[in-house]
Amino acid sequence: MNNPTSAQMIEHLRRANRVAEAAVVEGHHPFGAILVAPDHTTVLLVQGNVDMVNHAELTLMRRAYAEFEAEFLWGCTLYTTVDPCAMCAGAQYWANVGRLVYGVAERQLLALTGNHAENPTLDLPCRYLFSQGQKAIQVWGPIAAVEAEILALHQGFWRQPS
């Protein structure tokens, strides 16, 4: 199983951030996710955040699991703007998506949001959650080349009055 290049990771994370921007325009939190095929080029699905329990990654994983075979999904990569929460990482694990690339660490987001009622973060990195399972999901992130642009979207959003 070959891995995505740094250039592919950056390109897809930027696309996921554009999905997050679109989610904000639709009145949702600024999170975006995309699923990329094993060729590391073809974007199969895109998803912005919906609400507090239908995060971008969770909703995307449900769709992917319904549309594709588990063996195929193992070769795919989930790209997401922020380190997935426990709920979303669990969905990736159960959907059988074998790779993950995220732009910003959860702790970086927490530093921006603080104890925000609409973003009560969990200090549980996806790597830890995956390490407790039986599948060797590959993880890359945070990716320094896109951190500033992803965080810029969050800075503007979380400072708005709720």
Side-chain angles (χ1 to χ4, degrees):
M1 190 159 77
N2 66 339
N3 294 319
T5 66
S6 293
Q8 287 169 323
M9 289 181 195
I10 292 166
E11 174 188 344
H12 292 311
L13 285 171
R14 286 188 170 134
R15 176 146 185 202
N17 201 42
R18 289 192 300 275
V19 172
E21 290 171 347
V24 171
V25 169
E26 294 173 9
H28 306 295
H29 293 167
F31 299 97
I34 65 172
L35 183 67
V36 176
D39 67 4
H40 305 296
T41 303
T42 306
V43 176
L44 301 169
L45 299 170
V46 301
Q47 182 65 54
N49 208 62
V50 178
D51 58 35
M52 294 281 287
V53 295
N54 291 293
H55 294 176
E57 303 92 340
L58 175 65
T59 304
L60 185 107
M61 288 297 97
R62 285 180 177 149
R63 290 174 53 209
Y65 184 77
E67 293 182 32
F68 302 103
E69 296 293 324
E71 184 177 302
F72 175 75
L73 287 171
W74 185 250
C76 293
T77 306
L78 172 63
Y79 287 85
T80 183
T81 52
V82 179
D83 184 356
C85 73
M87 176 177 69
C88 294
Q92 178 179 352
Y93 180 87
W94 291 111
N96 206 47
V97 174
R99 295 185 191 92
L100 169 70
V101 180
Y102 67 87
V104 175
E106 182 70 20
R107 287 186 177 173
Q108 292 172 282
L109 181 61
L110 176 60
L112 284 176
T113 64
N115 189 20
H116 197 288
E118 292 186 25
N119 193 48
T121 62
L122 289 168
D123 187 11
L124 183 62
C126 68
R127 281 184 174 90
Y128 175 77
L129 188 138
F130 292 147
S131 75
Q132 303 306 299
Q134 299 175 34
K135 299 177 185 182
I137 295 173
Q138 295 179 281
V139 180
W140 293 269
I143 305 296
V146 295
E147 285 177 330
E149 55 202 90
I150 292 171
L151 288 172
L153 179 61
H154 284 272
Q155 287 168 337
F157 181 84
W158 298 109
R159 289 191 180 139
Q160 298 174 12
S162 48

